[in-house]
Amino acid sequence: MGKTPMQATLDGSKEVTFTILSMTLSLVAVFIPVLFMGGVLGKLLKEFAVTIIIAVLISGFVSQTLTPMLCSRVLKPHDPDAKHGWLFTLVENGFNATKDAYGSSLAWVIRHSRMTMVVFFAIIGVTAYLFDKAPKGFLPNDDSGQIVILTEAAQDISFDAMMERQKLVMEIVSKDKNVAGFMSFIGAGNGNGSMNNGRIVIALKPRDERPPAEDVVRQLRPKFSGIVGMSVFVQNLPPIRIGSRITKSEFQYTVQGSSLAELQEWVPKIEEKMKSLPQVANVTTDLQIARPQVMVEIDREKASSLNMTVQQIQVALNNSFSAVNISNIYTATNQYFVILELAPEYQQDPSALSQLYVRSTTGVVLPLSAVAKLSYSVGPLTVSHQGQLPSVNISFDLRGVSLSEGIGIIRSAVEEIRTPATLTGSFQGTAQAFEKSLAGMGVLLILAIIVIYLVLGVLYESFIHPITILSGLPTAALGAILTLMIFDRELDMYGFVGIIMLIGIVKKNAIMMIDFAIESGRNEGKGAAEAIHEACLVRFRPIMMTTFAALMGTIPIALALGASGEARRPLGLCVIGGLLVSQFLTLYLTPVVYIYFERFQVWMGGRKAAGQIAPVHAPKLSADPTSD
C-alpha cells in the first residue's frame, strides 16, 4: 500500500492482534482438560499438555513483540516495478491463479448455500458413524530391542526335566541371527508362578542389523513347535506395561468366583469358547489344578507310642527333598556347598516315601509308613486371588482385529455360556486401561470443545460466533479417521492426541476469516455474504501458509522417522489427514455457516437490524481479485 516498513508493521500488528489472541488462548484451552485427567492416560499426557501450553503462550507473546520488531527492521518498501526471479514469479502466479479459482468457486457455493448446509450435516453424520466404527487401540507395540519368551510344561514335571526342555528353547534362541544375548530362568520366583514355568529375556541386535521386533517374534514362534511337552509364548513387551501380572499373552480376562470348585468347572468352558474364536489366539490360563501330590497323614498316637514326634518326621522329609545346605567347603579359589538330599533316582517316584526311615528320640530307626499313611491325589499348583476372591486369569492375543473389536467379541462369546451369577468376568491390565481411557478420551474431547467455546464466547462477546468457529471440527475428525483407515491403522492413544491437536489447529482458519468478516461488518457496514467473501480472499494466503507449515512439521512423524517412530505414526497421520480435508472443506463450509448464523443472530435480535443483512447470494466480484 506504499506505507513505510514501520507504519506497515504497526498497522499489520493492530489488524491481527485480536486474531492472534483468539488463536493462542483457544489453543491453550484445548489442553486445559488434559491437566485434570486421571488414570494412566492422564499421567502420560500431563507433561505433553504442559509443554504445549507453555510453548503456545511464549509463541503468542513473541508474535506480538519480537516478530513485529523484526518486520519493521527487515521488510523493504514495496516496489511495483521490481523484477523477481523465475521461481518467485512461478509461485506467485500459481498462488494468484489458485486464489482466483477459489474466489469464483466460493461465490458459487454461497449461491447454493442450502445444498452446502446439507453437505455439512452429512459430513457430521458420517464423522460420527466412522468415529464409532473405527477400530480403536490403546498403546501400539514399540521396538525396545527386547522380547520375552515364557515357557510352560506339564504340571507334574520335575526340575531336571524342566531344565532339559528349557535348554532346547535356549538352543533355538542362541541360533537366531537377530539375537544379541539372553538370560534364562526356570522354577518358582523370577516372575514365574510355579515350577513348570520358565522365562527367557532376549536382547536383540541394534535396529539397523535386524528387522522390527514384531517380525522377529513372528519368525521365532514356528521354531518352537517341535519341542514336545513344552508350550512356548513369545512376546514383544509393550512400552508401558499395565498391571503387575506377568502373563503369557498380551491381554488378560479375569474370572472371579466364590469357590475354587466353581472356577474349575466353568473356566475351562470359557477357555474353550475363546479358543474357538478366529480373532483370538494364544489363549492360556493360570488354572493349574492337576499337579500330583502326596498327602502324608501322621498317626500321632502311634508315633507318640514309638517315641517319635511330628517335628522329627518333618525334619526327615525336609532333609530328603528340600536340598538343605548343611555345610560349605572353602578352597583357595572357590567354595562348595554341601547339599543334603535323597539320591536323584529316589526323587522321581512318590513310592520312595515308603522306603524313608525316621529316627526316634530313643535312637530307633523306623520306616515312615509305620507312623504315617500315604495317599495320592491331585491339587492346584497355585491359587490366584483378586479382591479377596479366588480368580483365574485367562490371557490371549488378538489376530486381525483391534482391541476394541476384540473386547466386544470376547464379551459376547462369554455371555453365550451363561455362567452362574456368582461368577464375574472382567478385563484386566492393558484391556482394562483401554476401556477406561476410551471413555476418558470421549469426555476429554467434549470438555476441550466446551472450554474453547467458553473462551471464544468471552473474546467475541457472542454465543453464536464460537459455534461458527468450531463448525470445522467435524471435517478435521473425518479427515483423521479416513487417513487412519486408508493406512490400516487403529485409532490409538497417539491418534487421539493427534485429534486433540487438530481441535486447536483447525479452528485457526475460521478465526482468521470470521475475525476479519466481523470487523468489516462493524466498520464498513458490509453484509454477511460480502464480508465473509472478502475475508476469505484477504486471509487466503495466511491460511494456506499456516496449514502447509503445520503439514511440513508433521510429515516426519507420519513417515515414522526416528527411534520408535512407528508407534507415533498415527499422530502424524491424524494431523496430516485432518488438516488436508478440513483445509479444503472449511474454506467453503465455514463462510456459509457464518452467513446462516448471522441471519439467525439478527432474527434473535442481535447487533444488526434485519435490513442490514445481505441476502445469501454471491457478492459482485471485480476484475481485480485482490480488491475483494
Side-chain angles (χ1 to χ4, degrees):
M1 298 180 180
K3 299 179 181 179
T4 62
M6 177 62 73
Q7 189 62 41
T9 298
L10 294 176
D11 294 344
S13 299
K14 183 179 179 180
E15 180 178 320
V16 299
T17 294
F18 188 78
T19 303
I20 294 175
L21 181 64
S22 301
M23 294 170 60
T24 301
L25 294 182
S26 59
L27 185 55
V28 168
V30 173
F31 294 94
I32 290 178
V34 179
L35 298 177
F36 300 96
M37 284 193 66
V40 177
L41 200 60
K43 294 179 180 178
L44 293 176
L45 296 181
K46 187 166 295 183
E47 290 83 358
F48 172 79
V50 171
T51 303
I52 294 293
I53 289 175
I54 295 177
V56 169
L57 290 175
I58 294 176
S59 175
F61 176 76
V62 169
S63 64
Q64 297 277 40
T65 54
L66 178 62
T67 303
M69 186 275 293
L70 293 175
C71 288
S72 66
R73 296 293 185 267
V74 175
L75 293 181
K76 298 179 180 179
H78 179 65
D79 185 2
D81 299 327
K83 295 183 179 180
H84 300 282
W86 64 271
L87 181 60
F88 177 91
T89 304
L90 178 65
V91 173
E92 194 66 15
N93 290 340
F95 175 80
N96 289 330
T98 304
K99 183 179 177 181
D100 292 342
Y102 170 63
S104 302
S105 59
L106 178 61
W108 184 89
V109 168
I110 292 177
R111 285 196 299 270
H112 300 81
S113 57
R114 293 183 179 179
M115 184 194 310
T116 305
M117 292 302 295
V118 171
V119 173
F120 174 67
F121 288 114
I123 289 175
I124 295 177
V126 172
T127 302
Y129 175 80
L130 292 180
F131 190 85
D132 179 63
K133 297 299 181 181
K136 300 176 182 66
F138 186 51
L139 287 171
N141 286 334
D142 203 354
D143 191 343
S144 62
Q146 179 176 303
I147 61 177
V148 172
I149 296 178
L150 299 176
T151 58
E152 181 181 352
Q155 299 179 37
D156 59 348
I157 195 170
S158 65
F159 179 84
D160 293 333
M162 181 67 187
M163 184 172 61
E164 292 301 321
R165 285 173 171 78
Q166 187 83 352
K167 286 181 178 179
L168 296 177
V169 179
M170 294 163 58
E171 184 178 354
I172 295 175
V173 171
S174 63
K175 294 180 180 178
D176 192 280
K177 61 181 180 179
N178 301 312
V179 175
F182 61 92
M183 295 183 296
S184 178
F185 311 89
I186 61 172
N190 295 313
N192 302 320
S194 54
M195 184 65 71
N196 66 328
N197 287 330
R199 182 163 58 104
I200 300 177
V201 181
I202 300 175
L204 302 176
K205 290 182 178 179
R207 183 65 180 84
D208 55 351
E209 300 179 16
R210 59 170 175 83
E214 287 292 332
D215 294 342
V216 176
V217 169
R218 283 191 288 267
Q219 295 171 10
L220 278 174
R221 281 173 177 163
K223 297 180 180 180
F224 302 116
S225 58
I227 301 178
V228 180
M230 178 78 85
S231 299
V232 182
F233 304 88
V234 189
Q235 290 188 45
N236 175 28
L237 293 179
I240 299 175
R241 188 169 186 87
I242 300 173
S244 58
R245 294 181 179 177
I246 297 180
T247 55
K248 301 175 182 66
S249 302
E250 186 175 358
F251 307 109
Q252 299 88 46
Y253 182 80
T254 299
V255 183
Q256 295 174 268
S258 57
S259 66
L260 186 60
E262 194 174 45
L263 292 173
Q264 294 173 1
E265 177 185 358
W266 288 97
V267 168
K269 299 178 181 179
I270 298 176
E271 181 182 6
E272 289 301 319
K273 184 66 175 180
M274 292 177 63
K275 287 182 177 179
S276 66
L277 301 174
Q279 302 89 349
V280 183
N282 301 326
V283 180
T284 181
T285 74
D286 59 4
L287 179 65
Q288 302 187 76
I289 57 175
R291 174 66 182 262
Q293 61 185 18
V294 180
M295 299 295 294
V296 181
E297 301 179 24
I298 301 174
D299 189 339
R300 294 177 181 266
E301 293 184 0
K302 189 174 182 180
S304 177
S305 65
L306 296 174
N307 299 315
M308 190 177 297
T309 64
V310 175
Q311 183 180 6
Q312 289 173 321
I313 299 175
Q314 293 174 342
V315 170
L317 292 172
N318 183 66
N319 292 339
S320 301
F321 299 102
S322 297
V324 180
N325 180 17
I326 60 173
S327 178
N328 294 334
I329 300 175
Y330 298 96
T331 66
T333 59
N334 210 338
Q335 62 178 347
Y336 302 90
F337 300 111
V338 180
I339 305 299
L340 177 63
E341 63 179 356
L342 292 178
E345 59 267 23
Y346 296 107
Q347 298 182 16
Q348 308 299 322
D349 190 352
S351 62
L353 283 170
S354 61
Q355 304 177 39
L356 183 65
Y357 284 77
V358 183
R359 187 178 299 275
S360 67
T361 55
T362 59
V364 178
V365 178
L366 298 172
L368 179 62
S369 57
V371 293
K373 179 183 177 181
L374 305 180
S375 59
Y376 302 91
S377 63
V378 294
L381 270 175
T382 59
V383 179
S384 301
H385 287 77
Q386 179 170 306
Q388 298 183 346
L389 292 175
S391 65
V392 176
N393 191 61
I394 305 175
S395 57
F396 62 94
D397 290 326
L398 296 176
R399 182 190 295 123
V401 295
S402 66
L403 182 54
S404 60
E405 295 169 330
I407 288 176
I409 292 171
I410 292 175
R411 184 172 280 124
S412 300
V414 173
E415 289 175 354
E416 295 176 2
I417 301 177
R418 299 185 181 277
T419 57
T422 52
L423 281 183
T424 58
S426 60
F427 291 94
Q428 299 296 321
T430 302
Q432 182 187 43
F434 164 76
E435 288 188 304
K436 293 182 178 179
S437 299
L438 187 62
M441 289 302 299
V443 174
L444 175 63
L445 293 177
I446 295 174
L447 289 178
I449 294 174
I450 292 175
V451 173
I452 293 176
Y453 174 82
L454 295 176
V455 171
L456 293 176
V458 172
L459 292 174
Y460 285 95
E461 298 179 351
S462 171
F463 294 103
I464 299 298
H465 292 310
I467 301 178
T468 309
I469 294 173
L470 295 173
S471 63
L473 298 184
T475 62
L478 176 64
I481 297 174
L482 286 177
T483 305
L484 290 176
M485 290 182 172
I486 291 173
F487 286 89
D488 194 23
R489 300 301 297 260
E490 298 176 353
L491 179 58
D492 55 24
M493 190 198 72
Y494 292 104
F496 271 113
V497 172
I499 292 179
I500 294 174
M501 294 181 65
L502 277 176
I503 294 176
I505 296 175
V506 168
K507 59 181 176 43
K508 53 92 180 171
N509 291 359
I511 290 177
M512 289 184 184
M513 293 184 291
I514 293 172
D515 186 51
F516 189 93
I518 292 175
E519 289 300 318
S520 297
R522 289 175 179 173
N523 300 332
E524 302 177 19
K526 296 181 179 179
E530 183 181 2
I532 193 64
H533 187 275
E534 180 184 9
C536 291
L537 294 181
V538 171
R539 295 289 173 89
F540 184 71
R541 186 187 293 270
I543 288 175
M544 298 300 292
M545 289 170 59
T546 52
T547 299
F548 277 97
L551 287 174
M552 294 300 105
T554 318
I555 284 178
I557 304 177
L559 295 178
L561 301 179
S564 302
E566 187 65 25
R568 297 189 299 271
R569 194 180 186 194
L571 189 154
L573 293 176
C574 280
V575 175
I576 289 180
L579 282 177
L580 289 176
V581 174
S582 65
Q583 177 72 8
F584 176 76
L585 293 178
T586 55
L587 287 175
Y588 294 99
L589 295 178
T590 301
V592 176
V593 173
Y594 171 80
I595 293 173
Y596 274 98
F597 272 126
E598 277 291 303
R599 299 182 104 190
F600 176 74
Q601 188 165 261
V602 170
W603 181 76
M604 293 292 293
R607 57 181 178 80
K608 288 186 177 181
Q612 294 175 309
I613 299 297
V616 182
H617 58 75
K620 296 181 180 180
L621 303 179
S622 62
D624 183 7
T626 59
S627 64
D628 290 300

